[in-house]
């Protein structure tokens, strides 16, 4: 399972203030904490600052990589910001994200060639947001063809089937789960990666919904998530779900989580 | 209190019973405008208030709106110039480059429930289409949605365009990354944080 730590996002208050003030330590601490909690990538997002996004994204990459030995997930739909951040990033980043939307596809794809970067590909096209499993698979097919055609290996592609709120349509959860399973079966080697929190929009008890949905998606084959790695309950649920899904040899990571005190009831 | 039956039916999301209840009132000669305003619209206002207070949630708001719609479908053809005045005309859409429609559709639903005429242009709407729709429909209000920080600037461009062409249309904005401060900065007439606030805002823009 690939975990992308989501906390360094300018639309969050604890990040916006340090970003504006140039407070390196606050950002560095968020990076260290997330990596210590098991994140594989540190997501960096400066989208709130429309006109200075490229400059601030570069600053975030630089501060994070000075603090931790880990790659970043460069989180922007804006090709200029991605290009700038790629030029300062050390090692192999994740690009979050490309989609089939024409402008985004045409401007981002050339930047990805030859970088070896992992790519998050949103199951979204100019025809709009997919609703059903079949619509997601149809877009996924074009994404996989286009990306592998550009020389990006299947193993570096993380398809995001786009979680939508179950409050607005009760079928949203199931359609997403079916899509995860469909994608993982159809293209062995490709990955799926989602942010879960959209599922619970408009409902009370959001954390419980997000966590339960994550477990359900892991059982269907989801092998990547962007989330808050510092949330102990999520981490415990994830360790348990991966073990039960047969992805934790000899239950080693589950037992590790147990010994780290992660599974204890508070 | 017969109109109260209609009001209560909306609050208990009675989609299947609504048509029958409305018909009973019509047969009894109850005033159509009262059925609409004190029955359906007042009930949806209450639903909106409860939603804002965190007592009701989106799936319940959807059901209430569907129940009210059953009643509206019967009353609409009977409304005449004299017994109904539209609350106002709103052109709504998600700005160019942005394909999100869930929040926008919730706002549309609640505005319709509140008696507004709503022209929904969909998602990824270029500025020219907004401008044309406002003219063609003589809209009072334009409601812009954006869910991406990258598409928010289109809202500022829209405000500038409407101010520039002398249009008197009021501009309201909303969507996850949009804030009151942003709305002020671009010179919009108002910001709404959810579908219920959007109704209150639209009413106050009509009154102002």
């Amino acid at each position: 399972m690939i975990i992308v730590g989501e906390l360094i996002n300018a639309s969050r208050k604890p990040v916006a203030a340090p970003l504006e003030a140039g407070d390196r330590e606050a950002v560095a601490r968020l990076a260290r904490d997330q990596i210590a909690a098991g994140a594989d990538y540190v997501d960096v997002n400066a989208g709130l600052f429309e006109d200075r996004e490229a400059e601030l994204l570069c600053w975030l990459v630089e501060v994070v990589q000075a603090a931790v030995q880990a790659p970043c997930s460069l989180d922007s739909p804006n090709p200029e910001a991605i290009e700038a951040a790629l030029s300062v990033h050390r090692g192999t980043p994740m690009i979050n994200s490309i989609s089939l939307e024409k402008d985004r596809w045409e401007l981002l794809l050339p930047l990805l060639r030859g970088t070896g970067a992992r790519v998050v590909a949103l199951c979204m096209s100019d025809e709009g947001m997919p609703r059903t499993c079949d619509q997601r698979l149809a877009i996924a097919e074009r994404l996989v063809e286009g990306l592998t055609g550009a020389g990006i290996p299947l193993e570096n592609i993380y398809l995001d089937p786009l979680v939508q709120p179950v409050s607005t349509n009760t079928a949203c959860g199931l359609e997403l789960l079916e899509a995860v399973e469909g994608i993982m079966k159809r293209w062995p080697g490709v990955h799926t990666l989602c942010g879960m929190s959209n599922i619970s929009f408009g409902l009370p008890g959001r954390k419980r919904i997000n966590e339960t949905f994550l477990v359900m998606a892991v059982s269907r084959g989801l092998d990547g998530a962007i989330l808050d790695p510092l949330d102990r309950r999520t981490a415990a649920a994830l360790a348990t779900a991966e073990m039960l899904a047969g992805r934790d040899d000899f239950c080693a990571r589950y037992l590790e989580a147990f010994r780290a005190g992660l599974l204890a009831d508070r | 209190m017969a109109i109260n039956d209609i009001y209560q039916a909306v609050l208990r999301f009675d989609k299947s019973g609504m048509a029958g209840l409305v018909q009973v009132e019509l047969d009894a000669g109850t005033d159509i405008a009262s059925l609409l305003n004190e029955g359906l619209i007042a009930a949806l206002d209450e639903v909106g208030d409860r939603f804002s207070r965190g007592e009701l949630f989106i799936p319940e708001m959807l059901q209430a709106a569907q129940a009210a719609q059953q009643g509206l479908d019967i009353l609409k053809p009977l409304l005449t110039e004299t017994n109904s005045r539209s609350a106002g005309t709103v052109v709504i859409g998600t700005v160019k480059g942005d394909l999100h429609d869930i929040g926008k559709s919730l706002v549309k639903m609640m505005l319709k429930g509140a008696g507004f005429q709503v022209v929904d242009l969909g998602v990824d709407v270029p500025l020219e289409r907004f401008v044309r729709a406002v003219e063609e429909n003589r809209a009072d209000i334009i409601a812009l949605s954006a869910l991406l920080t990258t598409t928010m600037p289109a809202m500022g461009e829209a405000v500038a365009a409407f101010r520039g062409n002398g249009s008197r249309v009021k501009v309201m904005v909303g969507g996850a990354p949009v804030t009151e401060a942003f709305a002020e900065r671009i010179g919009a007439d108002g910001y709404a944080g959810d579908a219920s606030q959007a109704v209150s805002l639209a009413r106050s823009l009509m009154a102002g």
Side-chain angles (χ1 to χ4, degrees), chain A residues 100 105 121 123 137-154 157-159 183 186-187 190-191:
Chain A
L100 272 188
W105 177 263
C123 290
L137 285 174
I139 298 174
E141 177 161 22
R142 290 166 61 199
L143 284 166
V144 167
E145 275 175 12
L147 290 170
T148 53
I152 296 165
L154 212 50
I157 301 173
Y158 289 76
L159 292 167
I183 288 168
R186 180 129 165 227
W187 296 284
V190 85
H191 305 280

Side-chain angles (χ1 to χ4, degrees), chain B residues 9-42:
Chain B
V10 174
L11 290 187
R12 62 170 191 274
F13 321 137
D14 187 354
K15 299 192 279 290
S16 54
M18 179 61 77
L21 288 170
V22 170
Q23 198 56 54
V24 167
E25 292 311 311
L26 288 176
D27 294 344
T30 310
D31 174 50
I32 293 173
S34 309
L35 278 177
L36 186 70
N37 295 320
E38 292 150 44
L40 300 175
I41 292 178

Side-chain angles (χ1 to χ4, degrees), chain B residues 20-151:
Chain B
L21 288 170
V22 170
Q23 198 56 54
V24 167
E25 292 311 311
L26 288 176
D27 294 344
T30 310
D31 174 50
I32 293 173
S34 309
L35 278 177
L36 186 70
N37 295 320
E38 292 150 44
L40 300 175
I41 292 178
L44 279 183
D45 283 349
E46 176 63 21
V47 167
D49 287 346
R50 292 184 189 181
F51 172 75
S52 294
R53 291 199 298 267
E55 295 165 16
L56 287 182
F57 298 94
I58 286 176
E60 297 168 317
M61 195 164 77
L62 282 173
Q63 290 186 81
Q66 285 175 11
Q69 191 62 45
Q70 300 295 318
L72 274 176
D73 287 347
I74 299 179
L75 296 180
K76 270 260 173 72
L78 308 175
L79 294 172
T80 61
E81 286 298 318
T82 49
N83 64 13
S84 89
R85 238 189 29 232
S86 157
T89 298
V90 183
V91 166
I92 192 169
T94 305
V95 298
K96 184 160 175 54
D98 201 322
L99 299 168
H100 293 83
D101 70 344
I102 288 173
K104 185 258 306 163
S105 298
L106 287 171
V107 170
K108 166 182 148 186
M109 182 186 78
M110 290 306 277
L111 285 173
K112 281 174 90 171
F116 284 87
Q117 299 280 352
V118 184
V119 181
D120 184 1
L121 301 182
V123 299
D124 191 17
V125 181
L127 180 53
E128 315 83 70
R129 272 192 64 209
F130 279 122
V131 172
R132 203 163 62 231
V134 164
E135 279 169 17
E136 284 171 6
N137 297 285
R138 298 181 178 187
D140 305 294
I141 296 172
I142 176 127
L144 303 170
S145 172
L147 265 284
L148 301 172
T149 50
T150 43
T151 54

Side-chain angles (χ1 to χ4, degrees), chain A residues 44-260:
Chain A
V44 284
N45 181 319
L48 189 71
F49 299 89
E50 311 120 60
D51 35 353
R52 299 172 57 203
E53 186 185 1
E55 169 207 340
L56 292 175
L57 195 63
C58 290
W59 184 80
L60 286 176
V61 168
E62 196 261 307
V63 173
V64 166
Q65 291 205 304
V68 294
Q69 291 269 357
C72 292
S73 152
L74 309 175
D75 186 354
S76 171
N78 174 0
E80 277 169 43
I82 294 284
E83 186 169 23
L86 266 172
S87 71
V88 298
H89 188 277
R90 288 180 284 110
T92 309
M94 178 177 268
I95 308 297
N96 182 12
S97 53
I98 197 166
S99 78
L100 272 188
E101 292 160 274
K102 195 163 176 288
D103 292 349
R104 202 159 163 185
W105 177 263
E106 287 178 354
L107 292 170
L108 271 173
L109 194 60
L111 299 178
L112 301 179
R113 282 179 209 267
T115 60
R118 314 280 197 266
V119 186
V120 179
L122 307 182
C123 290
M124 193 159 119
S125 70
D126 284 321
E127 285 99 78
M129 299 287 234
R131 294 279 176 254
T132 64
C133 169
D134 288 347
Q135 289 167 353
R136 290 178 166 92
L137 285 174
I139 298 174
E141 177 161 22
R142 290 166 61 199
L143 284 166
V144 167
E145 275 175 12
L147 290 170
T148 53
I152 296 165
L154 212 50
E155 291 70 27
N156 285 356
I157 301 173
Y158 289 76
L159 292 167
D160 180 346
L162 296 180
V163 172
Q164 288 163 7
V166 76
S167 64
T168 58
N169 176 351
T170 321
C172 280
L174 195 57
E175 294 292 342
L176 187 285
L177 296 173
E178 307 253 296
V180 167
E181 185 169 326
I183 288 168
M184 297 305 271
K185 284 200 166 140
R186 180 129 165 227
W187 296 284
V190 85
H191 305 280
T192 38
L193 180 143
C194 302
M196 290 295 156
S197 58
N198 211 16
I199 191 72
S200 59
F201 172 78
L203 288 170
R206 292 194 66 171
K207 282 184 99 162
R208 184 174 296 276
I209 299 173
N210 299 347
E211 181 187 311
T212 304
F213 196 54
L214 176 63
V215 169
M216 293 171 79
V218 165
S219 83
R220 299 294 195 107
L222 184 80
D223 65 348
I226 175 158
L227 47 73
D228 172 6
L230 306 186
D231 187 299
R232 290 165 52 99
R233 248 175 53 171
T234 304
L238 196 55
T240 312
E242 282 216 271
M243 172 183 70
L244 293 173
R247 295 202 222 145
D248 183 9
D249 285 347
F250 297 101
C251 312
R253 288 200 307 276
Y254 176 81
L255 292 172
E256 195 184 316
F258 165 72
R259 295 207 171 88

